[in-house]
Amino acid sequence: MDHPAETWSFDVAVEHGPHRTRAQIVLHTPEGHEFSGVGLAHRAGPARIAGYLALGRAMSDLNEELVEAATTELEAEAGRAWSS
């Protein structure tokens, strides 16, 4: 079963403040949906390390949002199947 590849894109922003680093990752789907995750890290060491940690946390947050969206859509599809 060959299906054409879809292109999904990410926008990533990392902001370093004096005491914390904030990262945001936004996923854009081919259908025009957007999902977003945010992560924070306390700046106790190099900005680069805080950036890695904040971005990892943003990706984890994005993961939770995607799983929640998939669950919601699956439940809606199941409801439609039962009501048909």
Side-chain angles (χ1 to χ4, degrees):
M1 243 177 15
D2 289 334
H3 296 283
E6 296 180 342
T7 300
W8 295 46
S9 62
F10 291 96
D11 289 323
V12 177
V14 179
E15 300 170 1
H16 298 285
H19 302 290
R20 72 175 186 148
T21 296
R22 181 183 186 276
Q24 181 173 16
I25 184 167
V26 179
L27 172 64
H28 306 276
T29 71
E31 298 86 19
H33 296 105
E34 287 188 354
F35 297 93
S36 178
V38 175
L40 301 173
H42 181 71
R43 287 275 311 272
R48 174 179 71 339
I49 294 171
Y52 294 161
L53 183 56
L55 186 54
R57 289 176 174 164
M59 293 174 89
S60 179
D61 188 38
L62 174 63
N63 179 62
E64 289 179 25
E65 187 173 332
L66 288 167
V67 169
E68 184 178 319
T71 301
T72 300
E73 288 195 29
L74 284 170
E75 288 172 350
E77 288 295 321
R80 282 191 283 275
W82 281 102
S83 64
S84 297

